[in-house]
């Protein structure tokens, strides 16, 4: 074509809609579209808006490769009916929107809670907290906590956070805790 075969562009009406539905700027949406298209096989790039990228490709993004919660992030943002955690362009945008600097504290903390809720039951219980700690400390032998250290740490987390003392942390308890943590918002971000 006259454009020298440049990457297919996002339809203009879609661009405006995505700006309204996300915390992203026009530039960020266009860059996201470019990055998303590049994760697709060449023959699917024409229809990037309706294609799905497999989770294994999403995880090749450097921003996620280094994230200890990469699998949970794909799980929470994927709308795949097949349950394979693949992402559509809209899923991808939702993820970037939540992780952007412009997203509100409420939105960020809500999604962080969902990401940390490993069994998807709406509360953070001891098992969720244990998996959370394991993700943060890394799975290597030398960095793993002993049984006793893990128990102590989870006990401490619950004492700090479990306001109604029911043995689990609900969303409002979680939001209360992270609202007092100055580095929460800055650690919860992905910039392409």
């Amino acid at each position: 074509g006259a454009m020298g075969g440049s990457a297919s562009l996002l339809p203009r009406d879609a661009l405006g809609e995505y700006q309204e539905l996300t915390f992203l700027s026009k530039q960020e949406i266009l860059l996201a579209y470019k990055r998303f298209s590049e994760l697709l096989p060449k023959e699917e790039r024409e229809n990037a808006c309706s294609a799905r990228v497999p989770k294994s490709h999403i995880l090749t993004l450097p921003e996620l490769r280094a994230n200890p919660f990469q699998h949970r992030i794909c799980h929470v943002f994927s709308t795949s009916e097949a349950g394979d955690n693949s992402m559509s362009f809209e899923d991808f945008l939702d993820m970037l929107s939540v992780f952007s600097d412009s997203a509100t504290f409420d939105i960020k903390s809500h999604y962080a809670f969902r990401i940390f809720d490993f069994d998807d039951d709406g509360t953070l219980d001891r098992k969720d907290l244990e998996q959370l700690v394991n993700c943060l400390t890394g799975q290597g032998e030398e960095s793993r906590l002993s049984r006793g250290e893990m128990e102590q740490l989870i006990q401490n987390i619950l004492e700090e956070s479990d306001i109604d003392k029911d043995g689990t942390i609900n969303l409002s308890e979680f939001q209360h805790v992270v609202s007092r943590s100055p580095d929460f918002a800055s650690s919860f971000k992905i910039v392409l």
Side-chain angles (χ1 to χ4, degrees):
M3 299 292 292
S6 73
S8 54
L9 293 173
L10 196 55
R12 188 166 284 266
D13 52 343
L15 186 59
E17 195 179 323
Y18 292 144
Q19 268 180 278
E20 280 174 33
L21 295 173
T22 65
F23 294 102
L24 303 170
S25 69
K26 199 181 206 162
Q27 277 66 34
E28 288 171 318
I29 292 166
L30 292 170
L31 178 60
Y33 188 73
K34 180 174 178 288
R35 293 289 299 273
F36 185 81
S37 303
E38 287 165 358
L39 295 171
L40 288 165
K42 289 208 170 26
E43 62 277 8
E44 284 182 39
R45 288 181 190 170
E46 285 304 301
N47 314 321
C49 274
S50 54
R52 297 194 76 86
V53 167
K55 173 180 170 179
S56 55
H57 293 194
I58 297 283
L59 292 180
T60 62
L61 289 166
E63 298 78 12
L64 278 177
R65 227 184 2 233
N67 191 306
F69 302 103
Q70 43 172 254
H71 298 288
R72 289 294 306 161
I73 291 170
C74 286
H75 174 76
V76 165
F77 289 97
S78 169
T79 55
S80 162
E81 308 255 311
D84 58 6
N85 293 348
S86 62
M87 278 197 194
S88 66
F89 179 57
E90 294 189 1
D91 295 344
F92 188 65
L93 272 190
D94 276 339
M95 173 182 79
L96 292 177
S97 177
V98 167
F99 281 99
S100 79
D101 274 337
S102 320
T104 62
F105 171 79
D106 263 4
I107 296 267
K108 279 187 187 291
S109 53
H110 173 81
Y111 277 94
F113 182 82
R114 287 185 56 195
I115 288 165
F116 299 160
D117 178 15
F118 287 85
D119 56 9
D120 297 315
D121 69 351
T123 64
L124 305 187
D125 57 22
R126 286 174 167 271
K127 277 186 97 153
D128 292 322
L129 295 174
E130 192 166 320
Q131 285 184 266
L132 174 56
V133 171
N134 280 334
C135 277
L136 289 171
T137 54
Q139 298 291 344
E141 282 307 306
E142 67 290 340
S143 56
R144 286 200 88 131
L145 298 182
S146 71
R147 202 66 228 137
E149 289 169 326
M150 179 67 86
E151 278 302 312
Q152 188 55 58
L153 183 53
I154 288 176
Q155 206 45 51
N156 294 350
I157 294 173
L158 286 170
E159 270 165 31
E160 278 279 292
S161 322
D162 179 20
I163 298 163
D164 62 13
K165 299 290 173 238
D166 68 349
T168 64
I169 301 169
N170 62 34
L171 177 59
S172 62
E173 288 169 337
F174 178 76
Q175 287 180 317
H176 178 70
V177 173
V178 291
S179 67
R180 297 178 307 183
S181 143
D183 48 354
F184 168 71
S186 60
S187 63
F188 202 72
K189 84 177 182 199
I190 293 178
V191 179
L192 285 184

